[in-house]
Amino acid sequence: MRAGGLVDLTGRSCLVTGAASGIGRATAALFARLGARVTAADLDTGGLTALRRDCADRGDAYEVTVVTGDVSRPEDAERMTGAAVAAGGGLDVLVANAGILPLSDLLETSAEDWDRVMAVDGRGMFLSCKYAIAQMARQEGGGTVVCVSSISGVAGQARQAAYGPAKFVASGLTKHLAVEWAGRRVRVNAVAPGTIRTERVRRLADEPGGPEYLDRVTGLHPLGRLGEPEEVARAIAFLASDAASFITGAVVPVDGGYLAQ
Ligand SMILES: NC(=O)c1ccc[n+]([C@@H]2O[C@H](COP(=O)([O-])OP(=O)(O)OC[C@H]3O[C@@H](n4cnc5c(N)ncnc54)[C@H](O)[C@@H]3O)[C@@H](O)[C@H]2O)c1
């Protein structure tokens, strides 16, 4: 046990996609604090550099490795896994988190909008899993994947005509890959966050319909507030660690009770 008595990821080689902000950043920072060798991937080089600097300033055991790339491009997704393997001598953990969160109803959503969100949240998660699991299956100890799904990947919401179905891809991929790869010692789980106060969600306050959406959605969380990125990161760390050794194929709500209703 380390870092506040949470779980131990000492020396584990962990790849986190979408690590420059929000849930991914909180997860990469927590993993580094828990002693992991973190490889952080994102489109946003500046955000990755800031993460690496913050972890170094804090005195974490290993320098964070950063990779700029687009998870929806096979060559980039493969390069992210390759960078983690080079930095950590293998790949123990993938957190497939990178995603975009467009909110629109069915009539407002174009075919191009659908393709864009499916390319990142669907195809990008598939590609991240594909290259990471190929590596893990070659390792004696296997590995573990945590996909970042959503309450929208478990239940319906208005104004999520493309984003919601894309998050169902994350939940479905988790269950199918968990069954397919269990025999090769690869565990695959997901978290289903409720609405979390990330940079993206804070920006909604300035978008048309955003403030109304935020008010309504806050009221739908029985705990009466939105979640914090660190609260999701702690659940991801648990699922990624040996403490969750008999859990695979689970989609774990981190949602203040949203899905319990
Ligand atoms: N914030 C929420 O309320 C919430 C709720 C449920 C699920 N989620 C999920 O959590 C994940 C992270 O969301 P967030 O709220 O932290 O968002 P965010 O916008 O704060 O962070 C997402 C990160 O992903 C990166 N990214 C986007 N497209 C990429 C691509 N093609 N390749 C590589 N990186 C890319 C962005 O640059 C950004 O740094 C997403 O999968 C999202 O669906 C978020």
Side-chain angles (χ1 to χ4, degrees), residues 18 21-23 42 69-71 97 148-149 163 167 193-196 198 201:
S21 82
I23 293 169
D42 205 289
D70 179 343
V71 290
N97 163 79
V148 180
S149 182
Y163 172 70
K167 299 316 286 188
T195 311
I196 307 300
T198 59
V201 167

Side-chain angles (χ1 to χ4, degrees), residues 17-25 41-45 47-48 67-73 76 80 96-101 116 119-121 124-125 147-152 163 167 170 191-204 213 221 226-227 229 232 254:
T17 70
S21 82
I23 293 169
R25 188 188 210 281
D42 205 289
L43 289 170
D44 173 6
T45 309
L48 291 175
V67 191
T68 303
D70 179 343
V71 290
S72 71
R73 294 166 54 97
D76 286 12
M80 290 169 191
N97 163 79
I100 54 174
L101 294 80
R116 203 166 75 87
V120 181
D121 297 36
M125 195 160 287
C147 293
V148 180
S149 182
S150 170
I151 51 175
S152 312
Y163 172 70
K167 299 316 286 188
V191 289
T195 311
I196 307 300
R197 283 190 340 118
T198 59
E199 291 84 340
R200 173 68 189 97
V201 167
R202 287 179 196 181
R203 278 201 306 274
L204 280 175
Y213 172 80
H221 292 70
L226 303 185
V232 183
V254 187

Side-chain angles (χ1 to χ4, degrees), residues 12-213:
R12 297 284 166 95
S13 173
C14 302
L15 170 61
V16 182
T17 70
S21 82
I23 293 169
R25 188 188 210 281
T27 301
L30 176 61
F31 277 23
R33 186 156 60 89
L34 293 170
R37 295 174 186 262
V38 174
T39 299
D42 205 289
L43 289 170
D44 173 6
T45 309
L48 291 175
T49 307
L51 167 73
R52 179 170 56 189
R53 190 192 52 234
D54 290 352
C55 291
D57 288 351
R58 202 170 55 183
D60 290 339
Y62 299 104
E63 183 172 74
V64 172
T65 300
V66 303
V67 191
T68 303
D70 179 343
V71 290
S72 71
R73 294 166 54 97
E75 59 275 26
D76 286 12
E78 189 170 20
R79 191 161 49 81
M80 290 169 191
T81 285
V85 171
L91 181 63
D92 300 305
V93 177
L94 164 69
V95 181
N97 163 79
I100 54 174
L101 294 80
L103 296 182
S104 57
D105 73 18
L106 180 67
L107 304 186
E108 294 162 350
T109 304
S110 66
E112 291 71 27
D113 294 334
W114 173 274
D115 287 347
R116 203 166 75 87
V117 68
M118 286 296 169
V120 181
D121 297 36
R123 174 183 156 112
M125 195 160 287
F126 158 76
L127 290 170
S128 300
C129 290
K130 177 178 169 68
Y131 296 112
I133 291 177
Q135 169 65 30
M136 290 171 181
R138 285 198 291 271
Q139 300 172 175
E140 202 178 313
T144 182
V145 174
V146 183
C147 293
V148 180
S149 182
S150 170
I151 51 175
S152 312
V154 180
Q157 282 195 52
R159 296 188 59 73
Q160 304 205 356
Y163 172 70
K167 299 316 286 188
F168 269 78
V169 171
S171 304
L173 203 53
T174 297
K175 290 181 183 293
H176 289 284
L177 296 185
V179 173
E180 189 171 284
W181 293 95
R184 303 291 289 272
R185 301 168 60 94
V186 178
R187 292 186 300 107
V188 186
N189 291 292
V191 289
T195 311
I196 307 300
R197 283 190 340 118
T198 59
E199 291 84 340
R200 173 68 189 97
V201 167
R202 287 179 196 181
R203 278 201 306 274
L204 280 175
D206 304 321
E207 293 178 17
E212 297 76 13
Y213 172 80

